[in-house]
Amino acid sequence: GAVVSQHPSRVICKSGTSVKIECRSLDFQATTMFWYRQFPKQSLMLMATSNEGSKATYEQGVEKDKFLINHASLTLSTLTVTSAHPEDSSFYICSAPKGSGGGNTEAFFGQGTRLTVV
Amino acid sequence: QKEVEQNSGPLSVPEGAIASLNCTYSDRGSQSFFWYRQYSGKSPELIMFIYSNGDKEDGRFTAQLNKASQYVSLLIRDSQPSDSATYLCAVRSGGTYKYIFGTGTRLKVLA
């Protein structure tokens, strides 16, 4: 299957600082990438859709000024958690679909980033 | 509100038995259905996808789809302790890349 690489896998930061997470599609181009957040024992909740060359689309309840998304190229999307607080501690996962958008489209996931804000 | 529902479990089955995992969805426009396995602290990995009504088999795994009942299931034959994980059902509406995930069912295969 396709490879999506996410970095870093773990990060600990102090409250009030910012953290950047990178998501790269290694062997295909992704005009769209998705960012999810997963709290313990809960499912993946879509935070935002990252669109190459245009603004990200945020889901209801997600603060766009706090979670900055940049999709600067067809293989890279970044999520920056600004002014992080302990309640932002979570598992952040990116995914990139590979396919034409029809029935053969599959989403491939990055390895995830465990963020701990202390 | 588009929803995907799963029983959270845990579902416990003995080694060698068949594990049956179920998922219902609310959006009748959904066209693609996926089962992901997620080990604790890891990212989800795709097990199977299904688009058409009926059964689709891949090794020990069989996905079943019934669009009329808005129901998709995953059967795991000859369950192994290594199958112990959380299984996420995901649904994608036609024409979009968005996936809606269920809360997952935790499966425990007892040795």
Side-chain angles (χ1 to χ4, degrees), chain A residues 32 34 36 38 42-44 46 49 59 91 93 97 99-107 109-112 114, chain B residues 32 34 36 38 40-46 49 51 88 92 94-104 106:
Chain A
T32 303
F34 297 97
Y36 294 86
Q38 187 178 35
Q42 295 188 23
S43 191
L44 282 73
L46 180 64
T49 303
E59 296 299 303
F91 192 47
I93 307 173
S100 60
N104 63 344
T105 298
E106 298 177 33
F109 287 86
Q111 302 93 322
R114 174 75 61 192
Chain B
S32 306
F34 304 82
Y36 287 85
Q38 185 177 28
S40 181
K42 301 294 185 183
S43 216
E45 52 181 335
L46 180 68
F49 55 86
Y51 309 129
L88 300 169
R92 186 171 68 87
T96 77
Y97 287 120
K98 268 190 182 180
Y99 287 63
I100 306 298
F101 284 86
T103 52
R106 193 155 60 95

Side-chain angles (χ1 to χ4, degrees), chain B residues 9-54:
Chain B
L11 171 67
S12 295
V13 300
E15 184 175 359
I18 296 176
S20 177
L21 305 163
N22 304 316
C23 173
T24 59
Y25 59 95
S26 62
D27 181 12
R28 285 197 173 274
S30 301
Q31 294 190 358
S32 306
F33 307 86
F34 304 82
W35 282 100
Y36 287 85
R37 177 174 60 197
Q38 185 177 28
Y39 293 109
S40 181
K42 301 294 185 183
S43 216
E45 52 181 335
L46 180 68
I47 298 175
M48 287 192 72
F49 55 86
I50 186 168
Y51 309 129
S52 304
N53 275 326

Side-chain angles (χ1 to χ4, degrees), chain A residues 7 9 22 34 46 58 65 73 79 83 96 98 106 108-109:
Chain A
H7 177 81
S9 58
E22 292 187 349
F34 297 97
L46 180 64
Y58 290 82
D65 294 330
S73 76
L79 168 69
S83 187
K98 181 180 181 183
E106 298 177 33
F108 295 91
F109 287 86

Side-chain angles (χ1 to χ4, degrees), chain A residues 48-66:
Chain A
T49 303
S50 173
N51 304 299
E52 189 269 335
S54 64
K55 291 183 179 180
T57 305
Y58 290 82
E59 296 299 303
Q60 191 173 10
V62 178
E63 300 175 58
K64 62 180 180 181
D65 294 330
K66 180 171 182 61

Side-chain angles (χ1 to χ4, degrees), chain B residues 64-77:
Chain B
Q64 299 174 318
L65 175 61
N66 184 325
K67 289 187 177 181
S69 301
Q70 296 175 240
Y71 175 94
V72 58
S73 65
L74 178 70
L75 301 177
I76 306 175
R77 288 182 299 282

Side-chain angles (χ1 to χ4, degrees), chain A residues 37-43 45 87-92:
Chain A
R37 181 168 51 185
Q38 187 178 35
F39 292 106
K41 298 186 178 180
Q42 295 188 23
S43 191
M45 296 302 296
E87 57 264 32
D88 297 324
S89 299
S90 187
F91 192 47
Y92 291 85

